[in-house]
Amino acid sequence: MTVAALEIQDAVVSYGDAEPVLKGVSLSVASGEFIALLGASGCGKTTLLRAISGFVRLRAGAIRVSGVDVAGLPPDKRDMAMVFQSYALWPHMTTAQNIGYGLRLRRKSRNDIARRVGELLSMLGLEGLGERKVTQLSGGQRQRVALGRALAVNPRILLLDEPLSNLDARVRGQMRHEIKAIQQNLGITAIHVTHDREEAMVMADRIVILNEGYIVQQGTPEEIYNRPATPFVASFTGAHNVVALHLGIEDGLVRVAAGEHNAEALLRLGSEGAHLAEPKGGPASAHFHTEAARLVIGDDAPPNSLTLRGRITQSSYPGGVYRYAVDVGGRQFMVDDERRFSTGDEVGIWLPAEALHLYPATPEHMARLAGIDENRDRL
């Protein structure tokens, strides 16, 4: 039986007498796996990372590294290294001194430190910058120094606490791929905290989504994106367009009842059809990603799809395609299309079955959706 590189079992963390931030989290991480902890602010992802590292104590549960419980050990005894959001570099030290700092604390010889620092300067594209003060480096270079300092001590587990959040968009995109490539080349186990969906999708082998102290779904980027388990996961992973529908289930198909802004539709289920969270009919909310939608004119829509009838209220040209705001019953949906339309044109938003994520709607949820429409109608 293969022992997990990292195992969290029923972890509970609270601060004082307040409600626990983590409420019984369990997670197993394989050797060499890259895990992204994804969630909104306050969901518990950073607390989980700090509990793994030893900066936050568990109230209950266990944390095992290669089968050994380390929950009672201090951070420097857990064979882990962390890259902080702020980088936490020593401003009075050079690049080489910062990278070799952990090795000095471990009383390695000067030759060993110089050799290891040289390897990392080369690996991280920092050749020629070893004697430069870190205050003279760019943001991307400082991020590489922080990563090098963490890797210098050859940790079993690399912890990344939103290390890219302070970089501009271009550098951030580049560093995503660089960190992933280094992690794969070294075969190191990595846990990465982020609130950025795209960052998690690009870097992680597996995404773990937290909400209110619980893990609500985990899976590959493809599984999370294509089969979100709950409305929360659907919205958080980008399928934040929502429309209220009424469903009927018959012979493995979903029949969408005709509504004020949609015709009746018959949808397949499964890999080539809609994602139905629970096999029952009735009021439902349908979530979809903006990039899955297309504009159609009149009844020009293929079978196994849903079309929402609306009117273009705004258009722009961000480059390559036109971007339209389409009003459907008081709710605005953004749709990209290569064709040029005019404000006021009557159009349909075409949604293929495989783009739809369907969830039973509670009465409260349906009332909230209706309330949004009523409020917008008054504006």
Side-chain angles (χ1 to χ4, degrees):
M1 180 178 178
T2 303
V3 177
L6 175 67
E7 184 179 9
I8 298 109
Q9 182 178 353
D10 300 324
V12 177
V13 172
S14 59
Y15 298 100
D17 296 328
E19 180 181 2
V21 178
L22 298 180
K23 303 170 183 177
V25 169
S26 295
L27 177 66
S28 181
V29 182
S31 178
E33 191 174 18
F34 194 119
I35 297 290
L37 302 179
L38 180 64
S41 297
C43 71
K45 61 185 186 298
T46 298
T47 296
L48 178 56
L49 191 76
R50 292 182 176 276
I52 293 169
S53 66
F55 291 108
V56 171
R57 295 184 63 85
L58 295 183
R59 194 177 81 182
I63 296 175
R64 301 185 183 93
V65 175
S66 299
V68 178
D69 193 345
V70 299
L73 297 180
D76 61 328
K77 302 298 183 182
R78 297 194 179 197
D79 204 2
M80 303 177 187
M82 182 180 287
V83 179
F84 296 93
Q85 181 177 357
S86 63
Y87 309 148
L89 299 175
W90 296 107
H92 63 285
M93 292 184 181
T94 65
T95 296
Q97 289 170 337
N98 267 282
I99 292 176
Y101 183 74
L103 298 172
R104 286 176 52 205
L105 292 180
R106 288 163 173 77
R107 301 185 182 280
K108 299 294 183 180
S109 69
R110 288 187 177 182
N111 288 339
D112 286 344
I113 293 174
R115 177 185 55 78
R116 181 60 174 155
V117 169
E119 292 173 352
L120 289 165
L121 288 172
S122 177
M123 179 191 302
L124 297 168
L126 295 171
E127 299 99 327
L129 300 178
E131 298 308 311
R132 186 174 297 183
K133 292 287 183 67
V134 292
T135 52
Q136 299 173 320
L137 302 179
S138 69
Q141 290 168 337
R142 287 197 295 271
Q143 198 278 337
R144 291 185 179 93
V145 174
L147 181 60
R149 183 180 60 187
L151 294 174
V153 297
N154 291 312
R156 287 190 184 183
I157 299 171
L158 177 65
L159 305 176
L160 302 155
D161 185 10
E162 301 199 56
L164 308 182
S165 61
N166 292 328
L167 302 177
D168 63 47
R170 182 186 62 81
V171 177
R172 188 164 62 244
Q174 177 185 351
M175 290 306 303
R176 290 171 182 169
H177 294 284
E178 290 189 11
I179 290 175
K180 178 63 176 177
I182 291 169
Q183 181 266 335
Q184 288 179 321
N185 290 337
L186 296 176
I188 193 171
T189 305
I191 313 294
H192 176 56
V193 161
T194 180
H195 62 274
D196 187 316
R197 172 180 65 90
E198 182 179 344
E199 186 168 295
M201 298 284 289
V202 168
M203 299 179 70
D205 301 314
R206 182 157 48 109
I207 297 173
V208 177
I209 298 181
L210 289 94
N211 186 37
E212 297 182 349
Y214 296 98
I215 292 176
V216 292
Q217 188 174 355
Q218 56 180 297
T220 65
E222 294 85 355
E223 290 168 344
I224 294 292
Y225 185 87
N226 294 319
R227 290 292 181 264
T230 67
F232 170 82
V233 175
S235 295
F236 197 81
T237 54
H240 43 66
N241 300 295
V242 187
V243 60
L245 301 173
H246 197 283
L247 309 179
I249 311 298
E250 49 184 68
D251 299 327
L253 300 173
V254 175
R255 185 176 295 278
V256 180
E260 183 180 357
H261 304 289
N262 67 279
E264 183 181 72
L266 195 61
L267 308 175
R268 291 196 296 267
L269 295 172
S271 59
E272 296 182 356
H275 167 226
L276 185 64
E278 295 184 28
K280 66 180 183 179
S285 60
H287 291 241
F288 64 91
H289 291 89
T290 294
E291 55 266 31
R294 297 291 182 271
L295 293 184
V296 294
I297 302 298
D299 298 325
D300 184 23
N304 192 37
S305 65
L306 175 70
T307 300
L308 307 175
R309 293 187 292 266
R311 180 175 59 86
I312 293 176
T313 59
Q314 189 178 9
S315 67
S316 61
Y317 186 74
V321 295
Y322 295 97
R323 182 157 296 160
Y324 299 103
V326 182
D327 182 277
V328 179
R331 187 171 291 113
Q332 299 285 329
F333 297 102
M334 303 303 295
V335 183
D336 292 344
D337 199 285
E338 296 178 353
R339 295 167 293 177
R340 180 64 183 266
F341 295 102
S342 299
T343 300
D345 284 353
E346 300 289 335
V347 295
I349 300 178
W350 171 67
L351 301 165
E354 59 268 24
L356 294 169
H357 307 290
L358 307 173
Y359 306 94
T362 63
E364 293 80 7
H365 181 58
M366 298 302 287
R368 184 173 64 85
L369 287 176
I372 292 173
D373 289 342
E374 291 171 1
N375 290 335
R376 289 186 178 179
D377 287 342
R378 295 191 188 106
L379 298 178

